[in-house]
Amino acid sequence: LLTLSLNDNAISDDGGRAIAAALASNSTLTELDLAETLIEEEGEDAIADELALNFSLVDCHGLDHPKLLSLLIRNEKNQRSR
């Protein structure tokens, strides 16, 4: 699975934490769409924290967390250098 679109779903911070846990051990997903969900700061924090362990995700739509954005940029640079 390379792309996962969960946009326009009633995913809350609990769902954000579950997504975060999955990202920690995932090495294939490159794009995640969470636009129009109910994920707020707590869920975004969890996703950003776990993304520190994930090097495959390069695009995440719908979340605007500064740490998340910098990790996505890191991952994209790493993928380009391969």
Side-chain angles (χ1 to χ4, degrees):
L1 181 67
L2 298 175
T3 302
L4 179 60
S5 179
L6 298 171
N7 67 322
D8 203 19
N9 280 284
I11 300 170
S12 65
D13 284 335
D14 288 338
R17 284 189 292 277
I19 290 167
L23 285 175
S25 61
N26 182 283
S27 63
T28 59
L29 192 67
T30 60
E31 185 176 345
L32 178 61
D33 187 352
L34 296 171
E36 305 301 322
T37 64
L38 303 175
I39 297 173
E40 296 183 350
E41 187 175 350
E42 188 177 322
E44 287 186 6
D45 285 344
I47 291 170
D49 288 347
E50 292 301 333
L51 191 58
L53 305 173
N54 176 297
F55 294 91
S56 64
L57 193 69
V58 296
D59 203 356
C60 184
H61 303 282
L63 300 183
D64 190 27
H65 190 285
K67 182 179 176 183
L68 176 67
L69 298 175
S70 66
L71 290 168
L72 292 171
I73 291 168
R74 173 206 67 186
N75 290 354
E76 186 174 4
K77 286 179 182 178
N78 286 339
Q79 296 237 344
R80 281 191 210 157
S81 67
R82 289 183 183 180

